[in-house]
Structures are given as structure tokens and as C-alpha cells.
Amino acid sequence: MSKSYHVKGMTNRTFANLSWIFLIIFGIGINGALSHAHDEVSATKELRSNEIDQGTDPIRLIPTNVVGVKNNSSIGGKLDGAALVKLTEAVVAATLKNETQRSYGGRSFGNGVSSIFASFTNALDLGRVVREIETSVMTSVSCTACKAGVGLLFHYVRSGRSNAEIAAAATKLCIKLKMQTPRVCEGIVNVYVGEVVEVLRLAILDSNEICAFIVGESCGSGTAPSMEWSVAFPPVPKPPLEIPSPQPNIETPILKVLQISDTHWDPLYEPGSNANCNEPLCCRLSSGPRPPRSHLGAGLWGDYRKCDTPRKTIESMFEHIANTHKDIDYILWTGDIPAHDVWNQSHATSLAMLRDTVDLFLQYFPHIPIFPALGNHEGAPVNSFAPPWVTDPTQSIDWLYTELQKEWSRWLPSTTLNTVREGAYYSTILSPGFKIISLNMNYCNNKNWWLLVNSTDPTDELKWLIFELQSSEFAQEKVHIIGHIPPGHSDCLQTWSKNYYTIISRFESTIKAQFFGHTHFDEMELFYPQEDPYRASSVAYVGPSVTPYYDLNPGYRIYYIDGDYPTSTRTVVDHETWVTDLGEANRIRAPELKWYKLYSAKEAYGLKSLSPIDWDNLIMSMYKDWKLFNSYYRFYYKNSPVAPPCDEDCRTRILCDIRSGKSHAREELCRPRPTNFRPSRDTFEVQKPPSRLTSFWSTISTA
């Protein structure tokens, strides 16, 4: 294992195998459901590979007869289109065959069928694909596996079988290939089968286009024409920028803002239980035999392994915040409430967790305004957020948005409730001249299967966003944007992200800060205008998770923001990350957690301000300064004692993540800076080459 791939999940093969439930059974898109737990905590986004396999669409080459397939173990993911078709059809035939005398629950399939499964596993080089999924560094090998998975899906859907028969075949394959435990295989297939079948019946994309849509550039450099779209802007020119940009006065009022993200509360967490089980979420009574020694089991307050947050840890954090930060002005709550047992969730369990968490916020912060944003785990199935045109009650998202309208109304004014009900987004005025906009980032989520049917600005959210920002520009208001999935993360669709990036550039004078969660790390993303690609214009702060899932300490973020006065810039003046040492608390079985300030951004990095330009200068310095980068990396993992080492490749990817406010654009955004550019406080200025006369006099003076 290369050290450059030190990310969460690399040490846990059982969790890695979950990826195959989705790559092979339900295609690489549903991989986001279970392996999304890893995607969120991955230290990397996609890294474009020079190995791009356009391949041939297996569905367009389906032979009329089932063809026997020999063992292709030497192929190692390099199958050509025809061979892939033959292999895929053989697997479909094996899994759909009505062999009532054989049980897929544990009895033998027979030598012939077993050899087909072995061929399928070996030919696709599953081990390598697992590593690529875990590191989010996709190559043509993953692309081939994706096409095989989508090929299986289309075969199943077009076979004319019922959903129950398709689910039985998919479950059989999942168990036979030992992707997961039987109960997880059965659970995740049953959760998704109805949605997946319906989406693939409606989708107009072929396998190549679907895999390019989901995997990214390693499956093709272009987006399918049907998936390309652009938002329209009003005919109002972008206002001239103030250079240098105004900075807050030291003596002006400051707002203190709390961000809570990714609680992933597990109501079934059990101290002492198996924390190293063979399922994607452990630390429960159902996670298998308890370890022989208590200190090897799940920790009292949580665990660095595959475990989510016990209630007592959330309560400890909330009580500490209420006692330590009594001057909080408002709270940003950026989503992801349920635990990672995504194979075992329903509308009822998701709503119960939403209501219980709202009650916790009201208990500890009864008089503080709270501004929520919707996470991808609030859906059931996870990542499933059907657009408004899906009206079937069994598929519609109305069940969630109706409840959000009710629960969020405890903090939001009545003017927000229509857009919350329609699309789970809203805008509200905090004080004169200051607006917060909360976005539903699940319509940029490439794990949301419904977007394969139509991804064009579902619910007109970006159209609405432009209207809100244009209105604020006319009114000279400053705006903060909050959401869950960061727009530059590989989970965000390329076309959606590209449009959002353009919006941020157009309204950079109005948008003063952005706040997201989702990754579980303590990080950020920078934005650069297309017309001035080396001048950072905006910062998206990505707040740390409460959950330790995994290898992380629990944490939260405090922001200090230019406050309420007539000429306020509304910029972030400083921020702090607070954490607890989970390992130490568990080791001594502490009766209570000790929370402490890990760092202040200005103090830790010696920043004059937290302007986009100052952040950009700092990040560029990290390419040469290992000591500086190591400080960032320690904070990135929230001072976790089990954080993996990070080598040169790891550093390069993490710094590229920061520079990527637009998804699937690393080649564009992370290219080296021209040598004839030098940074200044508010722009990058070209250093003009010396004139001939200047060169002449320089030569004389140095002679």
C-alpha cells in the first residue's frame, strides 16, 4: 500500500468490500450509499488519471445467446467491450437462473457458477478497484468495473423480472462475492431496488455516460449532452471590485457563531461492544461477539474505529458549549443526523432522529437562533432526494420536506416555509443588510440516483439563488451561504458545481462567506474567478464533524464575524476549532469529557486576515514548507493520535482539495502557478519582462 493513499478505510478490508455491493450490483452510483461513509471522510477528491478507458457500452453489444466465459484472471481490469459483455451476461444468467434447489444463504452454487463468479471478480481486478474507491483516485480500472456494474443493472431491469426477483438475484451475488454480511446485503438491496429500477427505466443515458456522470474524468472527459446545462443571469454587469478590499476595524462589533456538523448520532451505541466488526458500522450489541478484554471494545465516549457518536458525547459537547460560549449569537447546523447503518434505515427512523436532534438543540440552546441545512444522510434511502416531478408517494421526498417545514419553523420565519417545503432551501434576513442563504446540496449529489434521469437544476434552486443574490446586490446586502456537501467535493456533480462556481464569481462582492460540512475533516475550499484565475475571491469553510467516524476526534467550529454596524464587511475575522481527546477519555474511563480549543486560524498561521487572498498565499506556502503543512494536517485530523502519515503525494492532493472550489476540475484549478506571477494582497500582478533599455543598463551596471 502506497503511503500516498493513507486515507480512512485503507486498513479495513471489510468496509472496503461494501463498495462492491454498489459497483457490481447497483452500479457505482449506489456505492455512495454505504461507501459514502468513506467518501465523506476521504482526505482526497478524484485525481485525474492519464489512464482513460472510453470503452464500449456493454448494453449496445448484448449477444443474443449466453456465451460461456473462461477465467480471465490475467486481464486485470483491462477487458475490452465484447469480453466485458460476455462476462456480464454470464453473471446475470447465473444470478437470475431459477434454481430452487439451491439457497444463496450459504450453500454451494456449483462449480460452473462459482467459476463464473471467480472470473468476474478476477477479470475486473476488484482489489485494485476497492483501493481506488477508498482513495477516490479513479482510473480506467474503476471505470471498467463501473460499466460492468451498470451493465448488470441494465440486464436486470430489462430482463422483465419483478423487483423481488431482481432483489433476490442481486442479494445472491452480493453474498456469493462476500461483499458484505448477508443481512447487510439483503438490507441494502431491498432499500434501493425500487428506486434503482425506476430510475434506469427512465434514464436515457448509456453505460459510458452514466459512469462518466458518476465516476468522473477517468471514465471520459466530457459530460453527456443531456446533462449539460447553464443557469441564466440577469443582464446586470458585475460591479467593480474594491481593491484593496475593505477590512474590519479592530474596534468594531463582532458576532460569535457556532457551527455544528455531521453529528451522526447512533442511539444503539454500546460501550464495550465489538468496534472492529465486519460491517460498515460497529459498536452495537448486534456487531458480533464482544472482545475478550473490555479495553479492546467500543470506548465509553465513542471510538476511532467504525463507530458513530453516542448520545452522551453529543450531550457533553452541547453542555460544554452552553457553559463555555454563553455569548453565541447564532448557530449554523450543516446536516447529517443519522448514523451510518444505511442498510437498516427507513422514513420512520430518519424522522425520529431529526425530531430527537431538534429537541436536543432546543434543550441546550433554547434562546439562540439556529439556521439548519439538509444533509445527504437525512434521506431514506441515504442520498435519495427525488425532484418535484416524482409524485409517486413511495418515491417522493415529500415525507421529509413536510417534516422539515415543521421542525425548522421553530427557528425560521414564515417567509421561508414555502421554499423549505418545495426544496429544503431558504433565505432569511438576520439583521438589516445581512442575509443567510441555506442550500439543499443534495441536488448536486452524484450519489442521488434520480439525477440520472434529469439533473437540470432540480427545483430551480440555482435560479432562485441567482434571484436572491441579485436582490441582495441591489439592496447592498452581504450574504453568507450554508449547505452540506461542499461544491468542490467529488460528490458534487460537475455541471452543477460549474454553475455554482460561476454564480460565486459573479456575486463575489455580495457573498462574504460560505459554510459546509460532509467531509468530517477540518478544511476549506477556495474559489478563483475565471477572468482572474490566480486571485482567490471566496472561501468555503468546511467545518469538522461531531462524529469520530473515523480516526477522528469529535469537534466543532466557532467563527468570529464582522458584526452589526452600518459599514460592516460581514467577513470572517477568525475561527477556532474545539475538540476532545477521545482516546485519552476512553483510556482512563473519564467521568466527563474535557473539551479544549485546538487552534485559532489567525494565531496558528500568523494570518493578518482571513481574506481569500491571505488564505491562498498561505496554501501556496505549504507546497514548500513541510512544517506549515504538518500543522494544517494535524488540525485537518482534529489532533487525532491515529491520523495516518502524509507523504508528498498526500500533501499535493490535500492542497489541491483546498484549491478546488469546483468539482472534477483539478487539472484546471491545481496546475502550477506561472513563474511570472507574484502575489499581492488583493490580486496577482503580472511581472512584465524588462525592456531592452532596462536590460542594457542592467548589464552595464553589473559589468
Side-chain angles (χ1 to χ4, degrees), residues 287-325:
S287 297
R290 284 176 174 260
R293 299 178 182 178
S294 60
H295 72 275
L296 298 176
L300 180 64
W301 294 96
D303 206 281
Y304 290 128
R305 290 165 288 184
K306 297 182 300 178
C307 308
D308 272 318
T309 322
R311 180 185 179 111
K312 65 184 299 183
T313 300
I314 298 176
E315 291 179 329
S316 170
M317 184 183 71
F318 279 15
E319 182 176 6
H320 151 78
I321 293 171
N323 293 331
T324 305
H325 306 286

mmCIF file of all heavy atoms in Angstrom, residues 287-325:
data_model
loop_
_atom_site.group_PDB
_atom_site.id
_atom_site.type_symbol
_atom_site.label_atom_id
_atom_site.label_comp_id
_atom_site.label_asym_id
_atom_site.label_seq_id
_atom_site.Cartn_x
_atom_site.Cartn_y
_atom_site.Cartn_z
ATOM 1 N N SER A 287 -23.139 -6.113 16.690
ATOM 2 C CA SER A 287 -21.906 -6.076 15.904
ATOM 3 C C SER A 287 -21.044 -7.320 16.067
ATOM 4 O O SER A 287 -19.898 -7.331 15.626
ATOM 5 C CB SER A 287 -21.081 -4.836 16.284
ATOM 6 O OG SER A 287 -21.782 -3.650 15.982
ATOM 7 N N GLY A 288 -21.557 -8.339 16.694
ATOM 8 C CA GLY A 288 -20.792 -9.565 16.855
ATOM 9 C C GLY A 288 -20.291 -9.743 18.270
ATOM 10 O O GLY A 288 -20.580 -8.944 19.173
ATOM 11 N N PRO A 289 -19.508 -10.786 18.500
ATOM 12 C CA PRO A 289 -19.036 -11.092 19.863
ATOM 13 C C PRO A 289 -18.223 -9.947 20.458
ATOM 14 O O PRO A 289 -17.439 -9.298 19.769
ATOM 15 C CB PRO A 289 -18.159 -12.335 19.650
ATOM 16 C CG PRO A 289 -18.599 -12.911 18.344
ATOM 17 C CD PRO A 289 -19.032 -11.759 17.502
ATOM 18 N N ARG A 290 -18.431 -9.733 21.745
ATOM 19 C CA ARG A 290 -17.623 -8.738 22.441
ATOM 20 C C ARG A 290 -16.170 -9.200 22.506
ATOM 21 O O ARG A 290 -15.901 -10.408 22.612
ATOM 22 C CB ARG A 290 -18.135 -8.522 23.869
ATOM 23 C CG ARG A 290 -19.401 -7.690 23.970
ATOM 24 C CD ARG A 290 -19.883 -7.611 25.397
ATOM 25 N NE ARG A 290 -21.012 -6.705 25.536
ATOM 26 C CZ ARG A 290 -20.927 -5.459 25.976
ATOM 27 N NH1 ARG A 290 -19.741 -4.981 26.336
ATOM 28 N NH2 ARG A 290 -21.996 -4.702 26.083
ATOM 29 N N PRO A 291 -15.233 -8.270 22.459
ATOM 30 C CA PRO A 291 -13.820 -8.647 22.613
ATOM 31 C C PRO A 291 -13.589 -9.279 23.984
ATOM 32 O O PRO A 291 -14.305 -8.984 24.955
ATOM 33 C CB PRO A 291 -13.086 -7.304 22.495
ATOM 34 C CG PRO A 291 -14.032 -6.403 21.785
ATOM 35 C CD PRO A 291 -15.404 -6.835 22.205
ATOM 36 N N PRO A 292 -12.591 -10.148 24.094
ATOM 37 C CA PRO A 292 -12.344 -10.834 25.376
ATOM 38 C C PRO A 292 -11.938 -9.883 26.489
ATOM 39 O O PRO A 292 -12.141 -10.192 27.667
ATOM 40 C CB PRO A 292 -11.212 -11.808 25.037
ATOM 41 C CG PRO A 292 -10.567 -11.242 23.810
ATOM 42 C CD PRO A 292 -11.655 -10.571 23.046
ATOM 43 N N ARG A 293 -11.362 -8.745 26.139
ATOM 44 C CA ARG A 293 -10.970 -7.762 27.146
ATOM 45 C C ARG A 293 -11.731 -6.463 26.883
ATOM 46 O O ARG A 293 -11.816 -6.011 25.749
ATOM 47 C CB ARG A 293 -9.459 -7.515 27.097
ATOM 48 C CG ARG A 293 -8.639 -8.763 27.390
ATOM 49 C CD ARG A 293 -7.158 -8.488 27.286
ATOM 50 N NE ARG A 293 -6.362 -9.693 27.518
ATOM 51 C CZ ARG A 293 -5.043 -9.733 27.439
ATOM 52 N NH1 ARG A 293 -4.361 -8.623 27.138
ATOM 53 N NH2 ARG A 293 -4.403 -10.865 27.662
ATOM 54 N N SER A 294 -12.213 -5.874 27.942
ATOM 55 C CA SER A 294 -13.108 -4.721 27.798
ATOM 56 C C SER A 294 -12.437 -3.542 27.104
ATOM 57 O O SER A 294 -13.084 -2.808 26.346
ATOM 58 C CB SER A 294 -13.623 -4.286 29.171
ATOM 59 O OG SER A 294 -12.540 -3.930 30.027
ATOM 60 N N HIS A 295 -11.126 -3.375 27.335
ATOM 61 C CA HIS A 295 -10.469 -2.212 26.743
ATOM 62 C C HIS A 295 -10.310 -2.350 25.232
ATOM 63 O O HIS A 295 -9.987 -1.380 24.549
ATOM 64 C CB HIS A 295 -9.098 -1.990 27.391
ATOM 65 C CG HIS A 295 -8.067 -3.009 27.005
ATOM 66 N ND1 HIS A 295 -7.948 -4.223 27.649
ATOM 67 C CD2 HIS A 295 -7.121 -2.997 26.031
ATOM 68 C CE1 HIS A 295 -6.965 -4.920 27.095
ATOM 69 N NE2 HIS A 295 -6.447 -4.202 26.117
ATOM 70 N N LEU A 296 -10.553 -3.530 24.693
ATOM 71 C CA LEU A 296 -10.486 -3.731 23.240
ATOM 72 C C LEU A 296 -11.813 -3.419 22.559
ATOM 73 O O LEU A 296 -11.877 -3.343 21.333
ATOM 74 C CB LEU A 296 -10.087 -5.178 22.928
ATOM 75 C CG LEU A 296 -8.719 -5.632 23.439
ATOM 76 C CD1 LEU A 296 -8.510 -7.112 23.134
ATOM 77 C CD2 LEU A 296 -7.608 -4.790 22.820
ATOM 78 N N GLY A 297 -12.850 -3.254 23.346
ATOM 79 C CA GLY A 297 -14.169 -2.983 22.784
ATOM 80 C C GLY A 297 -14.407 -1.502 22.555
ATOM 81 O O GLY A 297 -13.512 -0.661 22.686
ATOM 82 N N ALA A 298 -15.630 -1.180 22.206
ATOM 83 C CA ALA A 298 -16.017 0.207 21.941
ATOM 84 C C ALA A 298 -15.781 1.072 23.175
ATOM 85 O O ALA A 298 -16.079 0.679 24.298
ATOM 86 C CB ALA A 298 -17.484 0.263 21.537
ATOM 87 N N GLY A 299 -15.237 2.259 22.944
ATOM 88 C CA GLY A 299 -14.927 3.161 24.035
ATOM 89 C C GLY A 299 -16.156 3.702 24.734
ATOM 90 O O GLY A 299 -17.274 3.673 24.202
ATOM 91 N N LEU A 300 -15.943 4.200 25.931
ATOM 92 C CA LEU A 300 -17.045 4.742 26.728
ATOM 93 C C LEU A 300 -17.704 5.929 26.044
ATOM 94 O O LEU A 300 -18.921 6.103 26.095
ATOM 95 C CB LEU A 300 -16.511 5.156 28.113
ATOM 96 C CG LEU A 300 -17.515 5.753 29.095
ATOM 97 C CD1 LEU A 300 -18.572 4.723 29.467
ATOM 98 C CD2 LEU A 300 -16.792 6.260 30.342
ATOM 99 N N TRP A 301 -16.893 6.767 25.353
ATOM 100 C CA TRP A 301 -17.387 8.026 24.790
ATOM 101 C C TRP A 301 -17.434 8.034 23.260
ATOM 102 O O TRP A 301 -17.703 9.064 22.653
ATOM 103 C CB TRP A 301 -16.500 9.173 25.257
ATOM 104 C CG TRP A 301 -16.564 9.432 26.726
ATOM 105 C CD1 TRP A 301 -15.716 8.962 27.686
ATOM 106 C CD2 TRP A 301 -17.550 10.207 27.402
ATOM 107 N NE1 TRP A 301 -16.104 9.405 28.926
ATOM 108 C CE2 TRP A 301 -17.233 10.183 28.782
ATOM 109 C CE3 TRP A 301 -18.671 10.929 26.995
ATOM 110 C CZ2 TRP A 301 -17.989 10.848 29.741
ATOM 111 C CZ3 TRP A 301 -19.426 11.601 27.952
ATOM 112 C CH2 TRP A 301 -19.085 11.548 29.305
ATOM 113 N N GLY A 302 -17.193 6.890 22.653
ATOM 114 C CA GLY A 302 -17.073 6.821 21.201
ATOM 115 C C GLY A 302 -15.799 6.074 20.858
ATOM 116 O O GLY A 302 -15.071 5.615 21.744
ATOM 117 N N ASP A 303 -15.508 5.961 19.573
ATOM 118 C CA ASP A 303 -14.359 5.156 19.187
ATOM 119 C C ASP A 303 -13.787 5.664 17.869
ATOM 120 O O ASP A 303 -14.513 6.199 17.023
ATOM 121 C CB ASP A 303 -14.770 3.687 19.044
ATOM 122 C CG ASP A 303 -13.611 2.736 19.280
ATOM 123 O OD1 ASP A 303 -12.803 2.561 18.357
ATOM 124 O OD2 ASP A 303 -13.501 2.201 20.396
ATOM 125 N N TYR A 304 -12.460 5.495 17.706
ATOM 126 C CA TYR A 304 -11.810 5.907 16.463
ATOM 127 C C TYR A 304 -12.103 4.939 15.313
ATOM 128 O O TYR A 304 -11.800 5.254 14.167
ATOM 129 C CB TYR A 304 -10.289 5.977 16.657
ATOM 130 C CG TYR A 304 -9.818 7.105 17.542
ATOM 131 C CD1 TYR A 304 -8.962 6.857 18.612
ATOM 132 C CD2 TYR A 304 -10.215 8.413 17.310
ATOM 133 C CE1 TYR A 304 -8.510 7.887 19.425
ATOM 134 C CE2 TYR A 304 -9.781 9.450 18.110
ATOM 135 C CZ TYR A 304 -8.918 9.185 19.169
ATOM 136 O OH TYR A 304 -8.474 10.212 19.965
ATOM 137 N N ARG A 305 -12.651 3.782 15.619
ATOM 138 C CA ARG A 305 -12.906 2.796 14.585
ATOM 139 C C ARG A 305 -14.273 3.062 13.939
ATOM 140 O O ARG A 305 -14.741 4.188 13.956
ATOM 141 C CB ARG A 305 -12.765 1.395 15.184
ATOM 142 C CG ARG A 305 -11.317 1.071 15.525
ATOM 143 C CD ARG A 305 -11.168 -0.137 16.437
ATOM 144 N NE ARG A 305 -11.602 0.128 17.801
ATOM 145 C CZ ARG A 305 -11.502 -0.740 18.800
ATOM 146 N NH1 ARG A 305 -10.997 -1.939 18.569
ATOM 147 N NH2 ARG A 305 -11.910 -0.410 20.019
ATOM 148 N N LYS A 306 -14.885 2.054 13.351
ATOM 149 C CA LYS A 306 -16.095 2.266 12.549
ATOM 150 C C LYS A 306 -17.321 2.467 13.439
ATOM 151 O O LYS A 306 -18.235 1.639 13.463
ATOM 152 C CB LYS A 306 -16.306 1.080 11.613
ATOM 153 C CG LYS A 306 -15.199 0.894 10.603
ATOM 154 C CD LYS A 306 -15.504 -0.267 9.670
ATOM 155 C CE LYS A 306 -15.662 -1.554 10.419
ATOM 156 N NZ LYS A 306 -16.018 -2.680 9.507
ATOM 157 N N CYS A 307 -17.344 3.568 14.146
ATOM 158 C CA CYS A 307 -18.398 3.800 15.126
ATOM 159 C C CYS A 307 -18.840 5.254 15.068
ATOM 160 O O CYS A 307 -18.023 6.149 14.878
ATOM 161 C CB CYS A 307 -17.899 3.474 16.531
ATOM 162 S SG CYS A 307 -17.164 1.820 16.676
ATOM 163 N N ASP A 308 -20.138 5.462 15.270
ATOM 164 C CA ASP A 308 -20.669 6.820 15.299
ATOM 165 C C ASP A 308 -20.792 7.325 16.737
ATOM 166 O O ASP A 308 -20.246 6.739 17.662
ATOM 167 C CB ASP A 308 -22.010 6.868 14.559
ATOM 168 C CG ASP A 308 -21.823 7.128 13.067
ATOM 169 O OD1 ASP A 308 -20.985 7.978 12.707
ATOM 170 O OD2 ASP A 308 -22.507 6.481 12.256
ATOM 171 N N THR A 309 -21.522 8.407 16.915
ATOM 172 C CA THR A 309 -21.484 9.170 18.161
ATOM 173 C C THR A 309 -22.543 8.707 19.154
ATOM 174 O O THR A 309 -23.735 8.706 18.832
ATOM 175 C CB THR A 309 -21.715 10.670 17.866
ATOM 176 O OG1 THR A 309 -21.057 11.035 16.660
ATOM 177 C CG2 THR A 309 -21.229 11.526 19.020
ATOM 178 N N PRO A 310 -22.151 8.343 20.369
ATOM 179 C CA PRO A 310 -23.159 8.053 21.401
ATOM 180 C C PRO A 310 -23.831 9.339 21.871
ATOM 181 O O PRO A 310 -23.248 10.428 21.807
ATOM 182 C CB PRO A 310 -22.354 7.404 22.523
ATOM 183 C CG PRO A 310 -20.933 7.792 22.290
ATOM 184 C CD PRO A 310 -20.782 8.080 20.837
ATOM 185 N N ARG A 311 -25.027 9.210 22.356
ATOM 186 C CA ARG A 311 -25.787 10.374 22.804
ATOM 187 C C ARG A 311 -25.046 11.143 23.898
ATOM 188 O O ARG A 311 -25.028 12.379 23.904
ATOM 189 C CB ARG A 311 -27.165 9.940 23.309
ATOM 190 C CG ARG A 311 -28.012 11.123 23.804
ATOM 191 C CD ARG A 311 -29.334 10.683 24.409
ATOM 192 N NE ARG A 311 -30.093 11.829 24.882
ATOM 193 C CZ ARG A 311 -31.216 12.274 24.328
ATOM 194 N NH1 ARG A 311 -31.708 11.666 23.267
ATOM 195 N NH2 ARG A 311 -31.847 13.316 24.834
ATOM 196 N N LYS A 312 -24.407 10.434 24.807
ATOM 197 C CA LYS A 312 -23.757 11.101 25.933
ATOM 198 C C LYS A 312 -22.621 12.011 25.463
ATOM 199 O O LYS A 312 -22.335 13.027 26.098
ATOM 200 C CB LYS A 312 -23.244 10.073 26.943
ATOM 201 C CG LYS A 312 -22.141 9.158 26.423
ATOM 202 C CD LYS A 312 -21.765 8.095 27.456
ATOM 203 C CE LYS A 312 -21.240 8.717 28.719
ATOM 204 N NZ LYS A 312 -20.792 7.699 29.716
ATOM 205 N N THR A 313 -21.974 11.687 24.341
ATOM 206 C CA THR A 313 -20.906 12.539 23.820
ATOM 207 C C THR A 313 -21.483 13.818 23.232
ATOM 208 O O THR A 313 -20.933 14.911 23.422
ATOM 209 C CB THR A 313 -20.090 11.777 22.763
ATOM 210 O OG1 THR A 313 -19.522 10.616 23.368
ATOM 211 C CG2 THR A 313 -18.985 12.640 22.191
ATOM 212 N N ILE A 314 -22.606 13.705 22.525
ATOM 213 C CA ILE A 314 -23.265 14.899 21.987
ATOM 214 C C ILE A 314 -23.743 15.786 23.131
ATOM 215 O O ILE A 314 -23.566 17.014 23.107
ATOM 216 C CB ILE A 314 -24.437 14.500 21.069
ATOM 217 C CG1 ILE A 314 -23.929 13.698 19.870
ATOM 218 C CG2 ILE A 314 -25.184 15.742 20.589
ATOM 219 C CD1 ILE A 314 -25.030 13.190 18.962
ATOM 220 N N GLU A 315 -24.330 15.175 24.148
ATOM 221 C CA GLU A 315 -24.806 15.958 25.289
ATOM 222 C C GLU A 315 -23.641 16.631 26.016
ATOM 223 O O GLU A 315 -23.762 17.782 26.465
ATOM 224 C CB GLU A 315 -25.592 15.060 26.237
ATOM 225 C CG GLU A 315 -26.915 14.593 25.671
ATOM 226 C CD GLU A 315 -27.671 13.676 26.614
ATOM 227 O OE1 GLU A 315 -27.019 12.941 27.389
ATOM 228 O OE2 GLU A 315 -28.912 13.686 26.593
ATOM 229 N N SER A 316 -22.523 15.929 26.140
ATOM 230 C CA SER A 316 -21.346 16.532 26.769
ATOM 231 C C SER A 316 -20.875 17.755 25.990
ATOM 232 O O SER A 316 -20.553 18.794 26.577
ATOM 233 C CB SER A 316 -20.219 15.501 26.864
ATOM 234 O OG SER A 316 -18.996 16.120 27.246
ATOM 235 N N MET A 317 -20.833 17.625 24.665
ATOM 236 C CA MET A 317 -20.391 18.745 23.841
ATOM 237 C C MET A 317 -21.358 19.918 23.947
ATOM 238 O O MET A 317 -20.945 21.072 24.126
ATOM 239 C CB MET A 317 -20.255 18.308 22.385
ATOM 240 C CG MET A 317 -19.701 19.397 21.472
ATOM 241 S SD MET A 317 -19.630 18.897 19.750
ATOM 242 C CE MET A 317 -21.370 18.893 19.359
ATOM 243 N N PHE A 318 -22.653 19.641 23.852
ATOM 244 C CA PHE A 318 -23.636 20.721 23.932
ATOM 245 C C PHE A 318 -23.595 21.426 25.293
ATOM 246 O O PHE A 318 -23.689 22.656 25.380
ATOM 247 C CB PHE A 318 -25.037 20.162 23.669
ATOM 248 C CG PHE A 318 -25.368 19.980 22.210
ATOM 249 C CD1 PHE A 318 -24.373 19.999 21.244
ATOM 250 C CD2 PHE A 318 -26.678 19.789 21.793
ATOM 251 C CE1 PHE A 318 -24.670 19.833 19.902
ATOM 252 C CE2 PHE A 318 -26.993 19.618 20.453
ATOM 253 C CZ PHE A 318 -25.987 19.639 19.503
ATOM 254 N N GLU A 319 -23.443 20.641 26.358
ATOM 255 C CA GLU A 319 -23.372 21.249 27.694
ATOM 256 C C GLU A 319 -22.119 22.111 27.829
ATOM 257 O O GLU A 319 -22.173 23.225 28.378
ATOM 258 C CB GLU A 319 -23.383 20.151 28.759
ATOM 259 C CG GLU A 319 -23.371 20.696 30.185
ATOM 260 C CD GLU A 319 -23.475 19.601 31.230
ATOM 261 O OE1 GLU A 319 -23.435 18.410 30.853
ATOM 262 O OE2 GLU A 319 -23.588 19.933 32.428
ATOM 263 N N HIS A 320 -20.997 21.605 27.324
ATOM 264 C CA HIS A 320 -19.757 22.386 27.345
ATOM 265 C C HIS A 320 -19.922 23.690 26.567
ATOM 266 O O HIS A 320 -19.509 24.770 27.038
ATOM 267 C CB HIS A 320 -18.618 21.562 26.753
ATOM 268 C CG HIS A 320 -17.553 22.373 26.106
ATOM 269 N ND1 HIS A 320 -16.570 23.043 26.803
ATOM 270 C CD2 HIS A 320 -17.332 22.649 24.784
ATOM 271 C CE1 HIS A 320 -15.799 23.694 25.956
ATOM 272 N NE2 HIS A 320 -16.229 23.470 24.736
ATOM 273 N N ILE A 321 -20.519 23.628 25.377
ATOM 274 C CA ILE A 321 -20.699 24.835 24.564
ATOM 275 C C ILE A 321 -21.600 25.829 25.293
ATOM 276 O O ILE A 321 -21.306 27.034 25.352
ATOM 277 C CB ILE A 321 -21.298 24.471 23.189
ATOM 278 C CG1 ILE A 321 -20.290 23.661 22.363
ATOM 279 C CG2 ILE A 321 -21.690 25.731 22.419
ATOM 280 C CD1 ILE A 321 -20.873 23.074 21.088
ATOM 281 N N ALA A 322 -22.700 25.336 25.857
ATOM 282 C CA ALA A 322 -23.636 26.223 26.551
ATOM 283 C C ALA A 322 -22.980 26.915 27.738
ATOM 284 O O ALA A 322 -23.295 28.080 28.044
ATOM 285 C CB ALA A 322 -24.855 25.425 27.011
ATOM 286 N N ASN A 323 -22.037 26.244 28.398
ATOM 287 C CA ASN A 323 -21.373 26.831 29.566
ATOM 288 C C ASN A 323 -20.159 27.675 29.201
ATOM 289 O O ASN A 323 -19.840 28.643 29.895
ATOM 290 C CB ASN A 323 -20.938 25.721 30.533
ATOM 291 C CG ASN A 323 -22.115 25.015 31.165
ATOM 292 O OD1 ASN A 323 -23.180 25.598 31.342
ATOM 293 N ND2 ASN A 323 -21.936 23.744 31.501
ATOM 294 N N THR A 324 -19.474 27.316 28.131
ATOM 295 C CA THR A 324 -18.226 27.992 27.764
ATOM 296 C C THR A 324 -18.458 29.160 26.826
ATOM 297 O O THR A 324 -17.765 30.176 26.903
ATOM 298 C CB THR A 324 -17.257 26.985 27.101
ATOM 299 O OG1 THR A 324 -17.067 25.879 27.984
ATOM 300 C CG2 THR A 324 -15.915 27.635 26.796
ATOM 301 N N HIS A 325 -19.415 29.022 25.925
ATOM 302 C CA HIS A 325 -19.666 30.051 24.905
ATOM 303 C C HIS A 325 -21.068 30.629 25.109
ATOM 304 O O HIS A 325 -21.964 30.441 24.284
ATOM 305 C CB HIS A 325 -19.541 29.444 23.506
ATOM 306 C CG HIS A 325 -18.233 28.741 23.256
ATOM 307 N ND1 HIS A 325 -17.053 29.416 23.063
ATOM 308 C CD2 HIS A 325 -17.934 27.418 23.159
ATOM 309 C CE1 HIS A 325 -16.074 28.540 22.845
ATOM 310 N NE2 HIS A 325 -16.578 27.323 22.919
#
